[in-house]
Structure formats: structure tokens, C-alpha cells
Amino acid sequence: MIVTQDKALANVFRQMATGAFPPVVETFERNKTIFFPGDPAERVYFLLKGAVKLSRVYEAGEEITVALLRENSVFGVLSLLTGNKSDRFYHAVAFTAVELLSAPIEQVEQALKENPELSMLMLRGLSSRILQTEMMIETLAHRDMGSRLVSFLLILCRDFGVPCADGITIDLKLSHQAIAEAIGSTRVTVTRLLGDLREKKMISIHKKKITVHKPVTLSKQFT
């Protein structure tokens, strides 16, 4: 099989269709839980459409977003990395409406053993996620909510941005509530801060999609 960055992992899942336990196509509406921390790690997921939020829930009840996964991402792979059966570490939630392929972890493990190139692709994907997690932690370290919001928008530009004539459009329909949940704020505060950025002509919003007009300038002035 010829391996390409965009299609290889999806092909692995689809080629398992002839096995005893073929992959399952699943859909989740926004805010629906895919798995909880502590759930058995029995399946690996490939994100076909939409975005998935991974978060950690702490004893005090605080939930911290650690990553937003885009299409063509694989998640639920901790057991593959450790080589041991383990429970889920993260809370995985549909950040938008999503469509997933899932397969038993044993089958994915066998596919990776048979094709070392796939292992390298998965490592690259995980490396990108680690970088995003580090950026999210830095974002949440800001005490000022304005800086926290801007940092989050810049992360979204990096991972979900589509260049356009006016800057970079974040290819996600984002409600103010969803943004607030991701950065540990409130909907009222996010609405006010987005309004301030619009007045300064730093961003525009059309049908819940945010366009950042000058990301570099925004980064220098507000973070």
C-alpha cells in the first residue's frame, strides 16, 4: 500500500472492513460525549468530519481543554503507545457535529505492525497534538481573558485556518458558548471581547465563522 499523509490512516480503518470486527461509523451531535475518563480503552477513533475536544477533568470539577482535533486525526490511542491495556485518560466531546470511524484497538495495533510507515504517520500526528496541547496550556495560563481569547483564536487559525482575501478564516462554526467553555470563560465575556475585536477590525464573523484579518498584528497587540 502506498502511504500518504492525508489518506493512509483512513485507509487502514476502511481496509479492516473485511475483518471479523469491521470498523463502525458513528455520528455525534455537538457537545455529545464520545468517551469519558475511566472508560475502557477498547477502540481507536479516526475523525472523518468535524472537530473533537479533548479535556482533562480534575478533582475539583474543573475541566481543562487540552486539544481540538481536526478532520483526519486519530485519537484514543494511549494503549497503543504504552503497550498496556488502560482506561481512557481524557474526556472526548464532539466540539461540532462529528462523524467517526472506530475499530478495535487490537486490529489497529496489528495494522501498524504490518506497516511501519503508518506508525511514523501516527507519531507525526501525535507530535502535532502535543504542540497544540502545549499552546492550549499557555493560553489558559493567561489571567487576562482578552489575551486568553486571542491566543485561542490564533491556535484555531493554525489548525483550522483557511487563507482568504481578508486574512484567515477559521473553518469551524463557533458559538460564543463553545469558545467560552474552551478557554474557561463565560459566554457574556466572550461576546463582549469578540465585539471589541470586531470594532478594532481585527476580526469579522459571518455565519459563526470567524475571520482573523491580521494574525501577526493581533498576536503582537493582544498577547
Side-chain angles (χ1 to χ4, degrees):
M1 179 178 65
I2 298 175
V3 177
T4 64
Q5 179 71 43
D6 294 335
K7 298 181 180 179
L9 293 172
N11 288 342
V12 168
F13 278 77
R14 292 191 174 96
Q15 288 172 7
M16 293 177 189
T18 57
F21 302 98
V24 175
V25 177
E26 301 178 72
T27 58
F28 293 84
E29 296 178 0
R30 192 182 89 80
N31 284 337
K32 294 297 183 181
T33 290
I34 300 166
F35 56 74
F36 288 100
D39 284 352
E42 298 173 343
R43 302 184 74 83
V44 175
Y45 295 87
F46 181 82
L47 181 54
L48 293 171
K49 296 179 181 178
V52 168
K53 180 177 73 172
L54 297 183
S55 60
R56 284 282 288 142
V57 182
Y58 294 90
E59 292 182 1
E62 185 180 15
E63 187 164 356
I64 302 297
T65 299
V66 297
L68 281 178
L69 308 181
R70 55 186 169 185
E71 294 176 4
N72 298 322
S73 295
V74 175
F75 63 104
V77 298
L78 185 59
S79 291
L80 287 176
L81 298 177
T82 62
N84 299 313
K85 287 287 185 181
S86 60
D87 294 335
R88 299 297 187 192
F89 187 69
Y90 294 116
H91 184 201
V93 176
F95 191 70
T96 66
V98 301
E99 183 177 327
L100 306 170
L101 274 175
S102 71
I105 195 166
E106 294 83 5
Q107 286 184 266
V108 178
E109 184 176 24
Q110 184 61 37
L112 292 172
K113 288 179 179 178
E114 293 173 356
N115 196 325
E117 289 183 76
L118 291 173
S119 298
M120 184 57 67
L121 285 176
M122 185 169 288
L123 282 174
R124 289 175 186 169
L126 291 172
S127 296
S128 178
R129 186 191 309 175
I130 289 170
L131 175 60
Q132 190 196 69
T133 296
E134 290 177 347
M135 295 170 69
M136 286 297 299
I137 291 171
E138 290 177 4
T139 292
L140 294 172
H142 289 296
R143 295 193 177 188
D144 173 69
M145 280 298 170
S147 296
R148 192 179 288 192
L149 172 63
V150 167
S151 294
F152 182 62
L153 292 179
L154 294 173
I155 291 173
L156 294 181
C157 284
R158 170 187 174 268
D159 291 334
F160 296 89
V162 177
C164 64
D166 295 328
I168 297 178
T169 296
I170 298 168
D171 193 23
L172 286 173
K173 289 186 177 180
L174 296 163
S175 69
H176 294 187
Q177 182 62 37
I179 295 172
E181 291 169 0
I183 66 172
S185 185
T186 65
R187 183 187 59 78
V188 172
T189 297
V190 167
T191 298
R192 176 178 58 79
L193 292 172
L194 288 174
D196 292 342
L197 292 176
R198 291 176 77 172
E199 287 183 5
K200 293 180 173 68
K201 301 189 184 300
M202 291 289 178
I203 67 168
S204 57
I205 304 174
H206 180 64
K207 295 183 178 179
K208 292 188 177 182
K209 287 192 176 183
I210 298 173
T211 295
V212 178
H213 297 304
K214 295 180 180 179
V216 174
T217 302
L218 185 63
S219 175
K220 290 180 179 178
Q221 291 190 12
F222 292 90
T223 60

